[in-house]
Amino acid sequence: MSSLTNKQILLGVTGGIAAYKSADLVSRLRKKGAQVKVVMTKRAEEFITPLTLRSLSGNEVATDMFSCPKEWEIQHISLAQWAEYIIIAPATANIIGKVASGIADDLLTTTVMATKAGVVMVPAMNTDMYNNPIVQRNIELLSRHGYLFFGPAAGNLACGDKGTGRMEEPAAIVEFIERLAGT
């Protein structure tokens, strides 16, 4: 039995080219027995559709903080309370900066602000963006507050550059979460 069996994982998908990997990540988490719900930012929908992630997760995908819920609930609060782990993959410089600054202006950031779950950010961005002192300061700040970071990996980037900034592969993310859940 996997350490992820029946774990409640909320996946936050943001607007980066690595968002396409979120489909594989959802599939792998489900195969390990996890219950998976997905929150997508509006920019994430430019890269992958909610239908794809709904089909793989078996759950409705949350995209809008102000959509009419099927049941009476305040969506960001109910998602924040439901999750045992929140994984943000890809974690762009934008989402890292927003969370580090306490900005809660969409469903994903309000959910993160309201949760007591463990939050794992999986960075994905251009090498120069990742190495930017402001991004590094935000990562350090969030790390001091208990947020976990996994990655990024080094290699070929979508922009044609080579360096650190690739989102970790879904298999490696699942292994990281399994180790985390097993402790």
Side-chain angles (χ1 to χ4, degrees):
M1 180 186 294
S2 169
S3 59
L4 296 182
T5 301
N6 294 319
K7 292 292 183 196
Q8 295 171 202
I9 298 176
L10 180 66
L11 175 62
V13 182
T14 67
I17 187 64
Y20 78 91
K21 293 182 179 182
S22 61
D24 187 25
L25 180 56
V26 170
S27 179
R28 288 173 181 274
L29 289 167
R30 289 283 310 267
K31 286 177 183 170
K32 292 289 188 171
Q35 298 174 46
V36 180
K37 292 185 179 181
V38 179
V39 173
M40 295 178 73
T41 65
K42 288 293 178 203
R43 294 293 170 236
E45 292 180 71
E46 301 289 329
F47 294 96
I48 187 167
T49 68
L51 176 61
T52 299
L53 298 174
R54 182 180 75 197
S55 298
L56 293 169
S57 70
N59 289 302
E60 288 295 321
V61 173
T63 58
D64 183 6
M65 189 161 59
F66 299 107
S67 65
C68 206
K70 291 185 176 22
E71 299 174 12
W72 171 243
E73 61 182 20
I74 299 172
Q75 194 171 29
H76 65 282
I77 301 299
S78 64
L79 288 168
Q81 292 172 344
W82 175 84
E84 293 177 68
Y85 298 98
I86 295 177
I87 304 168
I88 301 177
T92 59
N94 185 54
I95 194 74
I96 292 168
K98 281 178 157 184
V99 174
S101 298
I103 296 171
D105 64 352
D106 62 19
L107 184 57
L108 180 56
T109 54
T110 56
T111 302
V112 170
M113 291 300 147
T115 197
K116 293 180 181 173
V119 178
V120 177
M121 295 203 179
V122 185
M125 64 196 78
N126 170 273
T127 301
D128 293 332
M129 291 175 74
Y130 180 72
N131 290 325
N132 183 292
I134 296 168
V135 172
Q136 289 301 307
R137 182 194 68 207
N138 289 337
I139 290 170
E140 290 170 21
L141 174 67
L142 289 171
S143 295
R144 283 196 312 268
H145 287 287
Y147 289 76
L148 299 175
F149 285 81
F150 182 61
N156 294 321
L157 305 175
C159 62
D161 289 351
K162 193 175 220 172
T164 301
R166 286 180 58 86
M167 185 171 119
E168 291 285 351
E169 293 302 319
I173 297 167
V174 170
E175 287 177 14
F176 180 80
I177 300 301
E178 280 186 303
R179 287 192 304 272
L180 187 62
T183 57

